[in-house]
Amino acid sequence: MSKNNNDFVTIYVMGKKQKVPADLTIMKAMEYAGHQFIRGSGCRGGFCGACATVYRMRGSYKLQGALACQKQVEEGMIIAQIPFSPSEKITYKLNEIKANANTFLEYFPEIARCLSCNTCTKACPQDIMVMDYVQAALRGDIKLAAKLSFDCLGCGLCAMRCPAEIVPYNIGQLARRLESKYIEGPTEQVLSRCEEIKEGKYDKEIESLKNADKETLIKLYNSREMKNE
Amino acid sequence: MSSENSGQILKINAENKEFKEKIQDLSGEKIDLCFQCGACSSGCPMVQEMDYLPSKIIRMSQLGLKEVLSSKTIWVCTTCFNCEVRCPRGIDIANVMEAIRQVVLRQKFDKVNIDMLTPEELRELPQIAIVSNLRKLTA
Amino acid sequence: MRLAYYPGCTLKTTAKSFDISTLESSKTLGIDLIEPERWNCCGTVHALSKDDVMHHLAPIRNLLRIEEMKKTGIVEESKVITVCAMCYNTLKRANLVFNSDSDKVKKINENMENESSVYNGSVQVEHLLETIKHQGWDNLRNKVKIPLKDLKVAPYYGCLLLRPRGLGIDNADKPSIMEDMIRALGAEPIDFAYKQKCCGSYHTVFMKERVADLSYKILNQAKIAGAEIIVTACPLCEFNLSHRQTEIIKNRSEFKEFPVIYFTQLIALALGLKEDSMVFGENKTDPRPLFKYKGFLKEI
Ligand code: SF4
Ligand code: SF4
Ligand code: FES
């Protein structure tokens, strides 16, 4: 960064050079440069995983992964969005499948191709030990796979880079589902809430929400209760 | 080396030589040491499934014949190293089989497709079987 | 003796009986086996082509974990004990590549850049049978509570415990380590022609029938030689020799189910361990009727 440009950095959005304010996230910087996000953006808060981005720094061979809404721009970033990673939506009925050692292999036999190359871990913007959860799944360790993959957003960067063509996030998701259904859960709160819903405790509230106008909804949203646990 | 060719003189050209080099480099084996005793073939558990005997694959490799690439033999080899133990010339035939498989696999080719397996088979098969199968037969 | 233990994936899934009987019988023999906190599949087969680096990462990563265990004092020796023949072979051969090819070492290390330490090649890969042998067969014999008298056991070595030449746990042409173990347990080892013959290995996935045929030959030879049971040290051999009996019986109605178990289960039996240390119920072919008949297990 040169002195008089203190507050600006140069980035390359799909090869095109842009000068953008240095304190912006990749997403805001791209918008600043005139890009409009039609895909590849959702929550803007680091939760939905829609804004997967890959970049290289000038002068470095490393291909890195980031969430555009979270990562701040840096001088010399060469950026491309990966708004979608192609993967088949595997369907299974959680009530019917069993949580046993071979469940992962049954639905995702390609995990047997994992090379333990760790490329997925290197790609993950959430700093998850992706290789380790894929490997845990391969040996049927549902608990470990669920624990390690807990922070996964399904951004898809691991899947785009896996040389074995595995889609790790689908495996992590199955692990967490199996674990919460068969190993840890279902929790007290979930069960009692289900009861309440069945008894119609919230029917009135839902009805009034349905009829509310936009302004009221915004007000309600902003003053909503958040549970801290 | 189809039977129509028998009796004819086989001409080895530059392409054959290059292919032979490639197999030697990939396998790390000196295939010219082979004197066609056939010990490897006699101990091989999979010969019934093979089109060319292991010793014949070595002979064809010596000559740099690309037909080995389309042979069934390289895929049904179990890498059991029975041939390796038997070879009086110290060639590890399993390495040669793998080298030829690799030449094919590296051209965007998968020999098997795991999507063909039924859920029942996948539930029963141990990890060790699927991992090793896919390591040997897919790219 | 506290030693690092690499179980491998299958011992955590379809071959739990191998894992449990290994841990329990080792403990009784004075060997505390400690599983690394983090490990990955070793890849099960050694990558044979000379330019391959990628496929060596998996085994080397595991060896690095063992080195780390040594560094932090969790284990006393830079050594890893395996029981699965394929894990043993893969870890051992990758280690050899690492210790003999400096070009590859460089590339392997480059590809493991985000590991917190670099593998030094110090780990010794050992099979549990070797560990027990080093303790001395007398040591094993002295710990036997139920001598397996008159039990005729065929040791099935298969491929990767012995081959390639020089890399196995015993002489590739004339192995005796399993026979010695069987004798120490008070049983009678049965020599048979197919004890080193391949069961068809991973072709069990797409060539079921051929593997069933190869397995039949092995089982049949053992039977003809007078064996009552087969022991093995490989979860893939065990799978082929026992699960493929279903296919064998379909084609040969005269074939009678033949028990196949892990060598560690046999040791656990002779050491007089509890039944939940042998986990015979997990075997596809149940050996308990035979053991009850011989008086090694109580009738319930
Ligand atoms: S595990 Fe994969 S999908 Fe999940 S957050 Fe990390 S890179 Fe994204
Ligand atoms: S990138 Fe793929 S092959 Fe490599 S460790 Fe991750 S899941 Fe395994
Ligand atoms: S937009 Fe949802 S995580 Fe970035």
Side-chain angles (χ1 to χ4, degrees):
Chain A
M1 241 185 282
S2 71
K3 253 198 183 135
N4 43 5
N5 282 347
N6 240 342
D7 301 320
F8 279 81
V9 289
T10 307
I11 61 169
Y12 303 82
V13 180
M14 285 176 276
K16 192 160 173 6
K17 188 169 167 180
Q18 310 278 7
K19 255 195 177 3
V20 297
D23 57 355
L24 297 183
T25 60
I26 293 176
M27 184 175 280
K28 290 215 171 111
M30 284 175 66
E31 286 173 332
Y32 175 90
H35 289 268
Q36 197 191 354
F37 282 85
I38 297 167
R39 291 293 312 259
S41 159
C43 68
R44 291 177 174 260
F47 288 108
C48 74
C51 60
T53 302
V54 288
Y55 67 93
R56 277 197 170 87
M57 304 300 288
R58 283 191 74 174
S60 164
Y61 68 88
K62 277 185 172 306
L63 183 62
Q64 306 190 60
L67 297 172
C69 73
Q70 296 299 299
K71 178 86 189 161
Q72 199 177 338
V73 285
E74 282 169 44
E75 178 64 29
M77 256 184 184
I78 306 160
I79 298 166
Q81 303 299 117
I82 314 283
F84 179 70
S85 89
S87 97
E88 195 187 354
K89 190 163 179 271
I90 306 285
T91 47
Y92 44 79
K93 290 200 174 115
L94 209 52
N95 283 327
E96 284 164 22
I97 62 178
K98 297 242 155 48
N100 59 30
N102 272 26
T103 309
F104 293 103
L105 268 186
E106 183 184 340
Y107 289 93
F108 304 103
E110 65 277 9
I111 58 173
R113 280 164 45 83
C114 174
L115 300 154
S116 295
C117 68
N118 210 34
T119 310
C120 46
T121 303
K122 288 201 260 183
C124 179
Q126 291 288 88
D127 295 335
I128 292 169
M129 290 161 86
V130 187
M131 171 184 86
D132 290 70
Y133 83 63
V134 171
Q135 282 295 324
L138 176 62
R139 57 177 187 261
D141 193 336
I142 297 168
K143 253 186 132 156
L144 183 61
K147 185 177 142 207
L148 291 177
S149 69
F150 191 79
D151 287 330
C152 169
L153 309 171
C155 74
L157 284 174
C158 50
M160 291 311 286
R161 299 216 49 207
C162 174
E165 294 147 304
I166 294 164
V167 182
Y169 58 85
N170 277 341
I171 289 138
Q173 187 178 54
L174 176 58
R176 294 190 303 280
R177 286 175 172 166
L178 289 173
E179 133 120 28
S180 56
K181 177 149 180 74
Y182 293 105
I183 299 172
E184 279 303 315
T187 60
E188 288 283 317
Q189 290 96 320
V190 171
L191 291 174
S192 61
R193 182 56 52 92
C194 288
E195 265 318 300
E196 289 171 4
I197 292 171
K198 245 192 236 155
E199 284 161 7
K201 188 173 171 190
Y202 303 102
D203 289 359
K204 239 168 95 194
E205 216 175 323
I206 299 270
E207 232 11 75
S208 74
L209 278 178
K210 273 188 189 161
N211 296 326
D213 59 17
K214 195 174 170 186
E215 216 169 290
T216 331
L217 281 177
I218 291 175
K219 233 199 238 145
L220 277 172
Y221 181 78
N222 286 335
S223 62
R224 74 196 183 280
E225 252 180 78
M226 297 268 260
K227 195 168 177 192
N228 286 322
E229 261 192 302
Chain B
M1 280 213 307
S2 57
S3 49
E4 307 101 69
N5 289 344
S6 56
Q8 285 180 19
I9 294 172
L10 207 57
K11 287 215 178 73
I12 302 302
N13 56 32
E15 209 185 322
N16 297 124
K17 280 197 186 124
E18 205 183 302
F19 183 57
K20 175 186 172 182
E21 287 300 316
K22 190 170 186 170
I23 293 177
Q24 298 218 90
D25 286 350
L26 269 181
S27 68
E29 298 301 317
K30 296 194 186 74
I31 50 180
D32 280 337
L33 289 175
C34 169
F35 54 20
Q36 289 294 302
C37 70
C40 50
S41 303
S42 72
C44 176
M46 292 304 265
V47 282
Q48 278 145 299
E49 300 283 347
M50 292 176 169
D51 43 6
Y52 302 114
L53 293 173
S55 46
K56 199 156 179 183
I57 291 284
I58 301 295
R59 181 70 187 131
M60 289 163 81
S61 304
Q62 286 175 339
L63 301 172
L65 301 180
K66 286 197 171 172
E67 281 94 324
V68 291
L69 294 174
S70 49
S71 84
K72 201 179 163 204
T73 299
I74 55 170
W75 304 111
V76 299
C77 158
T78 63
T79 37
C80 71
F81 300 103
N82 219 327
C83 45
E84 183 270 341
V85 173
R86 289 180 176 226
C87 177
R89 306 292 283 163
I91 301 172
D92 190 337
I93 297 98
N95 284 355
V96 179
M97 296 286 185
E98 176 122 325
I100 304 171
R101 275 196 301 273
Q102 280 297 322
V103 173
V104 185
L105 289 170
R106 289 176 192 186
Q107 293 163 355
K108 290 195 189 182
F109 180 84
D110 283 343
K111 180 62 188 172
V112 297
N113 179 0
I114 23 167
D115 298 333
M116 304 295 286
L117 296 175
T118 64
E120 292 72 42
E121 286 171 318
L122 286 168
R123 270 196 289 270
E124 192 192 19
L125 285 164
Q127 274 64 12
I128 195 170
I130 305 184
V131 172
S132 47
N133 192 289
L134 297 180
R135 282 229 171 179
K136 289 296 178 196
L137 306 178
T138 68
Chain C
M1 193 169 25
R2 272 159 22 125
L3 294 172
Y5 163 60
Y6 178 80
C9 305
T10 313
L11 272 76
K12 295 290 166 190
T13 55
T14 54
K16 284 205 185 82
S17 53
F18 200 4
D19 187 36
I20 295 167
S21 58
T22 294
L23 291 170
E24 294 301 322
S25 45
S26 300
K27 208 186 283 160
T28 311
L29 293 174
I31 310 164
D32 268 327
L33 294 178
I34 305 172
E35 185 180 319
E37 219 166 278
R38 261 183 92 189
W39 56 271
N40 52 265
C41 170
C42 67
T44 73
V45 283
H46 180 63
L48 299 172
S49 41
K50 288 292 156 293
D51 62 351
D52 201 326
V53 171
M54 194 74 145
H55 292 94
H56 297 314
L57 294 179
I60 297 295
R61 240 183 248 292
N62 288 319
L63 297 174
L64 174 62
R65 306 273 176 263
I66 307 299
E67 236 172 38
E68 287 169 351
M69 285 171 85
K70 167 78 174 48
K71 262 185 223 153
T72 50
I74 296 173
V75 290
E76 293 142 32
E77 279 178 81
S78 196
K79 186 193 261 191
V80 61
I81 308 300
T82 57
V83 282
C84 164
M86 287 177 95
C87 294
Y88 167 78
N89 183 273
T90 308
L91 294 175
K92 184 156 183 182
R93 293 196 74 178
N95 206 25
L96 275 177
V97 167
F98 193 91
N99 281 310
S100 61
D101 185 337
S102 52
D103 253 11
K104 259 191 197 151
V105 171
K106 201 167 154 268
K107 280 193 196 146
I108 290 172
N109 284 335
E110 273 168 13
N111 280 287
M112 303 209 312
E113 58 188 353
N114 48 357
E115 290 291 351
S116 51
S117 52
V118 177
Y119 181 52
N120 286 315
S122 74
V123 176
Q124 193 193 333
V125 181
E126 192 173 284
H127 193 274
L128 184 64
L129 277 167
E130 296 177 290
T131 321
I132 298 174
K133 182 181 170 182
H134 295 154
Q135 283 188 320
W137 297 120
D138 278 337
N139 180 64
L140 179 60
R141 191 171 294 118
N142 293 337
K143 298 242 164 66
V144 168
K145 291 250 166 65
I146 306 172
L148 306 177
K149 211 169 154 298
D150 294 332
L151 182 69
K152 297 186 171 58
V153 185
Y156 175 64
Y157 287 90
C159 307
L160 297 176
L161 272 187
L162 301 174
R163 297 190 289 267
R165 192 181 287 284
L167 293 177
I169 63 170
D170 204 351
N171 185 308
D173 307 304
K174 240 183 141 346
S176 61
I177 189 164
M178 286 228 247
E179 283 85 345
D180 291 340
M181 175 212 79
I182 292 166
R183 256 180 237 117
L185 301 179
E188 183 191 336
I190 298 294
D191 195 26
F192 71 116
Y194 277 46
K195 67 179 178 188
Q196 287 135 278
K197 197 93 181 167
C198 178
C199 64
S201 183
Y202 49 79
H203 285 305
T204 200
V205 181
F206 291 100
M207 297 174 79
K208 227 192 251 181
E209 294 301 325
R210 171 57 57 205
V211 170
D213 193 50
L214 290 168
S215 299
Y216 167 73
K217 286 185 183 138
I218 294 162
L219 293 162
N220 196 41
Q221 284 295 325
K223 244 191 231 181
I224 290 173
E228 295 164 303
I229 189 165
I230 287 181
V231 290
T232 157
C234 171
L236 186 49
C237 297
E238 194 270 351
F239 178 83
N240 287 344
L241 293 185
S242 60
H243 284 243
R244 292 293 170 242
Q245 289 188 24
T246 316
E247 278 73 27
I248 296 174
I249 289 168
K250 262 185 225 152
N251 296 330
R252 303 168 196 270
S253 51
E254 80 286 358
F255 185 84
K256 294 245 157 26
E257 193 182 276
F258 194 75
V260 180
I261 62 169
Y262 295 109
F263 74 95
T264 47
Q265 291 180 290
L266 196 72
I267 296 179
L269 175 71
L271 294 179
L273 303 186
K274 287 206 267 343
E275 261 208 72
D276 55 8
S277 308
M278 313 172 216
V279 225
F280 289 131
E282 295 254 327
N283 293 74
K284 174 90 176 170
T285 49
D286 195 344
R288 284 172 296 190
L290 171 68
F291 293 152
K292 281 177 191 162
Y293 171 73
K294 295 266 171 185
F296 306 144
L297 284 178
K298 278 190 214 72
E299 293 282 349
I300 317 160

